[in-house]
Amino acid sequence: MNIVVLVKQIPDPAGPQELNADHTLKREGKLILDESDSYGVEIALQLRESAGGGDVTLVSMAPNGETSGLRTALAMGADDAILVGDDALPGAAALTTAKVLAGAIGRKQYDLVIGAVESSDGYVGVVPAMIAELLGLPSLTFAKKIDIDGSVIRIERQTEAGYDEVEGALPALVSVTAGVVEPRYPSFKGIMAAKKKPLEQVTVADLGVSVPGFNGNEEVTSVEDAPARAAGEKIEDDGTAFERIVAFLDEQKVL
Amino acid sequence: MALDKVLVYAETEGDAASTATLEMLTKARELAGSVDAFYAGPHADAIAADLGAHGAGKVHTVDAGDALPGAPVAAAVADLVGAEGYNAVLFATTYDGRDVSGRLSVRADSPVISNAVGLALDGDALSVETVIFGGTKVVRSAFRSGSVAIVLVRPKSFPAEPSGGGAAEVVSAALPDVGAAGNPKILAKHVEELEGPKLEDADIVVSGGRGLGSADGFKLVEDLAGLLGAATGASRAIVDAGWVPYSKQVGQTGKTVKPNVYIALGISGAMQHMVGMKNSKIIIAINKDPEAPILAVADLGVVGDVHKVVPPLIEAIKAKQG
């Protein structure tokens, strides 16, 4: 079974996050594999193993030829990667991103496309559905469990009230939650092997994707600091913090 | 683009129109001359009165049966938008809302703005307010001339207020055949029954995160919530870890809550979580890490171990309640 996994390389969420003057996110430093995507990589590796073979290809879009996050996923066991980098892409909205990724996916033969339900930096949460629409694929979204039997894919799909059992036919796209599997850590051998795995770098023009005025009719008009919440009270627990909480709840007339 | 006609994607909770749907209708009728709803499911007539009372003139409806809504319903909405000339389509940030809006965006070749917490008119354009960096920055984006504006709105961004209108007129829409993209079928629905007050509507919410240490640690959350008559919630980290069901998740993926008091036990306050609870009136947080982002937004922040702070807190509240 051939699987394409969408992975995003993002600024380390633990670090400070800043915007450029044009309101795009600063992505100058080292980018890491979005943790949300490590689950997709893991489930792809597991599905390939149960299917008895096939390729796991990573598809990513990033500035500055950034590959460190991709190398992490290759070290986990993915076979190869396609990276789309283009000066026209920083600040690309979800629809543009989806068009570019769909163009890159179209270069491969695949049975299944896997993506995270949302990235940890932009968290727009609609790109998987867009890519499925662009590729004419069924999308089985918000999966917390995946089973594949021949060409039938069955998932447990997270819902507001619990979950639904959903069944579809391959080829298909699934978006996965972080609970779907436990991602493996790359082994030393994997890290060494990852350095030699094929990583193809392409531009938007190579993909034949048109991204005119790349965000269409959407334009950021202002970015301001949010109204700060009134400075709160911060205490260190010395064994009596519970008393302060009780008093505070009392003030709020909760007790 | 004048905002003449707005379409609101209606969803239900149980048998009634969802609160988020009524919130969007309320806001839409303030912004646009004409507001209609779209509902995918059986029995649109059952919610037509409520939709109409909140401002919808018509409710266009399709019933996709057991098909997963995403692909076929997006095609139906796209056809309707084309035929009726809607300027904007509003969705709640739900699972189905995200699927349908994403596919509609492709069909209409128009971008989506996700996680909206405010909507306004900027001249003739629809201006959408979102927050980034855990809610510390407010971004306003405008949809300029051209194609339909598609917005995913976070629940509880606006009040839901009836306008006094009569029932919406129910109009059947066509459900296009989308071929293979429409093959996913819902085989069974599982409802995870929850005890206590409903998370989205509760006056007090007690939530737990990784700082609880283990699935057993969630008992602290349940015990405290029980005493306060509160609903229990959770961060994505412990839901993903399988400690509690998904239906308890507060955050970007999950529920948006706006209680009078939100008590966070061992939650660090990742952006993912903050967007779901930041607008609570009062926030109390207990976390070991003095640098945890949640302490920066807390009205009362306690730097400490939940296992040391919460048990005596529970005893003290019990004593007080007699």
Side-chain angles (χ1 to χ4, degrees):
Chain A
M1 179 156 60
N2 295 322
I3 304 173
V4 171
V5 187
L6 306 168
V7 297
K8 191 169 184 183
Q9 304 173 93
I10 63 169
D12 190 337
Q17 293 171 312
E18 288 175 77
L19 294 180
N20 294 307
D22 64 354
H23 307 315
T24 55
L25 182 65
K26 281 199 179 173
R27 296 175 181 277
E28 283 134 20
K30 188 185 167 201
L31 302 177
I32 62 168
L33 176 66
D34 187 337
E35 193 198 340
S36 303
D37 291 328
S38 60
Y39 302 92
V41 174
E42 178 62 41
I43 190 81
L45 297 173
Q46 291 186 13
L47 290 171
R48 175 182 60 180
E49 278 157 30
S50 9
D55 288 332
V56 172
T57 299
L58 309 170
V59 168
S60 187
M61 181 177 115
N64 312 326
E66 178 63 50
T67 61
S68 45
L70 285 174
R71 292 291 176 198
T72 303
L74 289 169
M76 287 173 71
D79 298 292
D80 61 339
I82 302 174
L83 173 66
V84 190
D86 200 304
D87 290 343
L89 290 174
L95 181 56
T96 303
T97 303
K99 287 179 180 175
V100 169
L101 293 175
I105 295 166
R107 293 164 82 85
K108 300 299 273 192
Q109 293 288 324
Y110 56 83
D111 305 294
L112 185 64
V113 178
I114 299 177
V117 298
E118 66 210 359
S119 65
S120 305
D121 57 348
Y123 64 103
V124 177
V126 295
V127 168
M130 288 174 166
I131 290 175
E133 184 70 27
L134 287 160
L135 296 173
L137 291 176
S139 51
L140 296 91
T141 47
F142 307 101
K144 57 176 191 149
K145 188 166 183 291
I146 301 175
D147 287 308
I148 292 181
D149 184 4
S151 66
V152 176
I153 176 167
R154 196 179 278 201
I155 70 158
E156 288 181 5
R157 178 180 186 261
Q158 201 174 323
T159 64
E160 277 79 15
Y163 66 94
D164 289 352
E165 287 171 49
V166 177
E167 185 178 278
L170 299 179
L173 175 145
V174 284
S175 71
V176 297
T177 68
V180 71
V181 277
E182 190 59 40
R184 69 192 69 183
Y185 286 103
S187 64
F188 179 72
K189 201 174 142 209
I191 293 167
M192 296 314 288
K195 293 180 179 166
K196 298 201 184 72
K197 287 181 174 172
L199 196 159
E200 185 190 6
Q201 303 214 22
V202 299
T203 63
V204 169
D206 295 334
L207 298 176
V209 176
S210 149
V211 285
F214 57 81
N215 287 337
N217 62 353
E218 173 194 341
E219 176 197 349
V220 174
T221 52
S222 75
V223 178
E224 294 163 14
D225 286 336
R229 288 182 72 98
E233 177 184 341
K234 195 164 157 185
I235 59 172
E236 202 145 327
D237 181 38
D238 58 358
T240 64
F242 73 92
E243 291 171 5
R244 179 67 197 110
I245 300 175
V246 171
F248 192 86
L249 290 171
D250 236 354
E251 289 161 31
Q252 303 305 323
K253 305 197 180 356
V254 168
L255 296 179
Chain B
M1 174 188 78
L3 204 59
D4 293 327
K5 296 180 75 172
V6 172
L7 186 67
V8 170
Y9 187 79
E11 295 183 66
T12 49
E13 288 163 354
D15 295 330
S18 73
T19 310
T21 301
L22 304 181
E23 290 164 0
M24 291 189 291
L25 286 171
T26 303
K27 189 66 184 181
R29 70 174 198 255
E30 177 193 316
L31 299 174
S34 158
V35 180
D36 294 326
F38 187 98
Y39 176 64
H43 312 306
D45 47 328
I47 57 168
D50 221 7
L51 297 177
H54 287 79
K58 290 178 194 165
V59 50
H60 302 278
T61 187
V62 295
D63 184 357
D66 61 354
L68 196 61
V73 173
V77 176
D79 287 353
L80 184 70
V81 166
E84 299 281 330
Y86 288 102
N87 306 118
V89 186
L90 308 182
F91 292 86
T93 312
T94 57
Y95 301 103
D96 288 348
R98 284 158 69 170
D99 281 357
V100 176
S101 64
R103 286 179 175 271
L104 172 64
S105 168
V106 170
R107 285 191 172 255
D109 199 23
S110 185
V112 173
I113 296 182
S114 190
N115 290 306
V117 294
L119 295 171
L121 288 175
D122 177 358
D124 281 345
L126 177 63
S127 173
V128 180
E129 193 177 304
T130 54
V131 293
I132 58 169
F133 299 165
T136 56
K137 297 243 180 237
V138 177
V139 178
R140 286 187 187 82
S141 308
F143 283 99
R144 297 301 178 195
S145 62
S147 48
V148 61
I150 305 168
V151 185
L152 278 158
V153 181
R154 291 210 63 84
K156 295 193 166 52
S157 297
F158 320 111
E161 287 158 7
S163 63
E169 179 194 350
V170 177
V171 186
S172 286
L175 191 64
D177 179 0
V178 292
N183 74 40
K185 297 273 182 279
I186 300 171
L187 303 180
K189 288 178 178 284
H190 296 267
V191 175
E192 290 163 344
E193 293 294 347
L194 299 177
E195 291 171 12
K198 208 171 149 212
L199 181 53
E200 302 95 304
D201 304 333
D203 196 45
I204 307 175
V205 173
V206 182
S207 280
R210 230 190 295 246
L212 295 170
S214 68
D216 293 341
F218 199 73
K219 189 159 186 320
L220 282 179
V221 173
E222 288 169 341
D223 289 351
L224 182 58
L227 285 177
L228 298 174
T232 58
S235 72
R236 191 177 86 180
I238 73 166
V239 170
D240 287 340
W243 297 1
V244 293
Y246 278 81
S247 44
K248 287 197 186 295
Q249 185 165 326
V250 173
Q252 149 73 6
T253 297
K255 308 268 163 67
T256 304
V257 299
K258 207 172 171 180
N260 275 320
V261 180
Y262 188 86
I263 305 178
L265 305 182
I267 291 177
S268 64
M271 177 158 70
Q272 221 283 343
H273 187 72
M274 299 269 243
V275 296
M277 47 62 73
K278 188 179 162 288
N279 291 323
S280 304
K281 187 156 163 274
I282 296 286
I283 298 170
I284 301 175
I286 305 172
N287 200 292
K288 268 195 300 209
D289 176 6
E291 302 302 318
I294 194 123
L295 294 174
V297 303
D299 298 276
L300 176 62
V302 176
V303 181
D305 183 346
V306 289
H307 296 284
K308 298 208 172 106
V309 178
V310 180
L313 175 64
I314 287 171
E315 291 313 314
I317 293 171
K318 274 187 190 160
K320 213 170 153 51
Q321 289 175 335

